[in-house]
Amino acid sequence: MTIEQAKSLDMVDYLAKLGFQPQKINEPHYWYFSPLRPDEKTPSFKINRQMNKWKDWGSGESGNLIDFGILYHQCSVKELLQKLDVNAPMFKPTKEYSPAIKTDSEITIHRVKPITSIPLIQYVRQRGIPMPTAEKFLKEVHYSLKGKNYYALGFPNDAGGYELRNQYIKASSSPKTSTFIDNKAGELAVFEGFFNFLTHQAMHRNNPPKSNYLILNSLSFFDNNLSRMTAHDNIRLFLDNDKSGDKFTKKALAIDCQKFSDERKLYATHKDLNEWVTSLGPQQQKNQSQQHNHRSP
């Protein structure tokens, strides 16, 4: 294994293989008890998964996977590369950054109820979603994972699973799939995640367009939904402004540039629709909502 190949390994996955799990996740930041200082009582070792870099705030040390490996294993670069080469099948390379989403049978749903938790209400507001909009589509879901109990906002999919979100975690219960909202319309609006869908709903809450909605919950479900998409007269794509969003938008336009439209120009300077809206001030958000409510769909 070369140095560049080693640097490309996902650090969150690498630490997991070494037996270290994050104590807190606030995408893209993963916080751990420092593997370099075993007696630590407060998590101060952070991985920025987007950059695939780490920093130990307790010692001030930082770097990439190579820097971490030689400190953790107390070895040379050559010895570390040999260790990584032997265990190469265990490790995942980083591709384009995508927040880690837990999706497995370890998550057990215990209770689904209306949203009443103050932290979840605060999180909804932090994401710029009015509570009436959130209450229409989301639930408060209490679940367990590896013997511990948690609660989160839950967005249901078509197979009975939930996308689970709170301030610290992105997760989903099994089975995981997309969510289709059928309003018997000829137009379809497509979103990667449900917060972008909720943002769109909030923008049009006083004058909702006559449209069906497809929330993919993961771009891995894009191809499986192509026949559903093309069954509509018009398909408006609200994907993310990143390489994956570019890839699938271009793919759709190549299939039928008359039916598919790329709506990302609305939030061209931001990662996604929700990030754009939350970057605006309250008055700007109100103005945008008024503009879209008076605009024909």
Side-chain angles (χ1 to χ4, degrees):
M1 183 175 291
T2 67
I3 289 177
E4 289 307 312
Q5 287 173 328
K7 287 180 179 179
S8 74
L9 297 177
D10 179 24
M11 281 210 63
V12 170
D13 178 64
Y14 180 58
L15 259 66
K17 297 300 190 296
L18 294 176
F20 299 101
Q21 297 297 328
Q23 301 301 304
K24 182 174 73 171
I25 301 173
N26 189 6
E27 294 288 356
H29 306 298
Y30 288 62
W31 291 88
Y32 298 79
F33 293 121
S34 177
L36 304 176
R37 294 179 295 107
D39 296 330
E40 185 173 61
K41 298 296 189 292
T42 302
S44 66
F45 183 94
K46 181 184 75 173
I47 291 176
N48 183 321
R49 203 173 194 184
Q50 185 169 7
M51 298 175 66
N52 205 35
K53 298 288 182 65
W54 62 275
K55 177 161 184 160
D56 190 328
W57 289 93
S59 67
E61 295 169 305
S62 62
N64 54 41
L65 188 142
I66 294 286
D67 301 313
F68 171 80
I70 60 178
L71 288 172
Y72 178 77
H73 294 289
Q74 294 292 297
C75 65
S76 67
V77 173
K78 181 179 179 180
E79 290 169 333
L80 176 63
L81 293 177
Q82 290 172 342
K83 288 177 182 290
L84 293 174
D85 196 44
V86 168
N87 296 295
M90 295 173 59
F91 302 123
K92 299 176 184 177
T94 56
K95 296 182 180 177
E96 180 188 348
Y97 166 72
S98 176
I101 300 180
K102 298 179 183 297
T103 58
D104 55 21
S105 57
E106 293 180 353
I107 291 179
T108 302
I109 305 294
H110 296 291
R111 185 161 57 125
V112 177
K113 59 190 281 292
I115 304 169
T116 58
S117 164
I118 298 300
L120 294 184
I121 292 172
Q122 291 174 337
Y123 183 54
V124 166
R125 291 172 177 164
Q126 177 187 329
R127 297 298 296 262
I129 308 300
M131 278 309 297
T133 301
E135 290 168 341
K136 183 177 179 181
F137 297 100
L138 302 179
K139 296 293 184 182
E140 180 174 317
V141 177
H142 291 246
Y143 65 97
S144 60
L145 173 65
K146 296 182 179 179
K148 294 185 178 180
N149 295 321
Y150 304 93
Y151 62 91
L153 299 170
F155 180 72
N157 65 39
D158 291 343
Y162 283 90
E163 294 298 304
L164 301 168
R165 302 288 188 275
N166 61 34
Q167 186 177 357
Y168 304 109
I169 192 73
K170 290 184 74 171
S172 55
S173 66
S174 296
K176 181 178 175 72
T177 190
S178 53
T179 304
F180 180 61
I181 299 174
D182 188 1
N183 292 320
K184 309 301 180 185
E187 181 178 281
L188 176 70
V190 181
F191 303 87
E192 284 191 41
F194 70 82
F195 270 114
N196 293 319
F197 162 68
L198 294 178
T199 300
H200 184 271
Q201 291 294 297
M203 291 169 63
H204 296 84
R205 59 187 177 275
N206 295 326
N207 186 24
K210 181 65 174 176
S211 177
N212 294 339
Y213 298 96
L214 175 63
I215 301 86
L216 294 168
N217 298 320
S218 169
L219 280 176
S220 63
F221 297 116
F222 189 94
D223 289 345
N224 292 342
N225 279 285
L226 272 174
S227 59
R228 172 179 273 168
M229 293 185 211
T230 53
H232 292 79
D233 299 326
N234 301 294
I235 309 103
R236 303 171 65 197
L237 300 176
F238 293 85
L239 304 186
D240 288 0
N241 278 314
D242 56 20
K243 291 182 180 179
S244 295
D246 292 342
K247 173 185 174 182
F248 284 99
T249 299
K250 289 177 181 176
K251 181 174 185 176
L253 293 174
I255 292 172
D256 192 335
C257 63
Q258 299 299 314
K259 280 192 172 186
F260 286 96
S261 64
D262 182 1
E263 302 295 322
R264 296 181 298 171
K265 56 185 177 293
L266 178 64
Y267 48 96
T269 57
H270 291 78
K271 180 182 181 294
D272 57 32
L273 184 63
N274 179 253
E275 184 180 283
W276 172 64
V277 167
T278 54
S279 73
L280 304 175
Q283 187 58 47
Q284 289 175 299
Q285 289 183 21
K286 182 178 179 181
N287 293 342
Q288 285 293 334
S289 179
Q290 289 173 344
Q291 289 177 25
H292 286 274
N293 284 326
H294 288 94
R295 187 178 301 166
S296 58

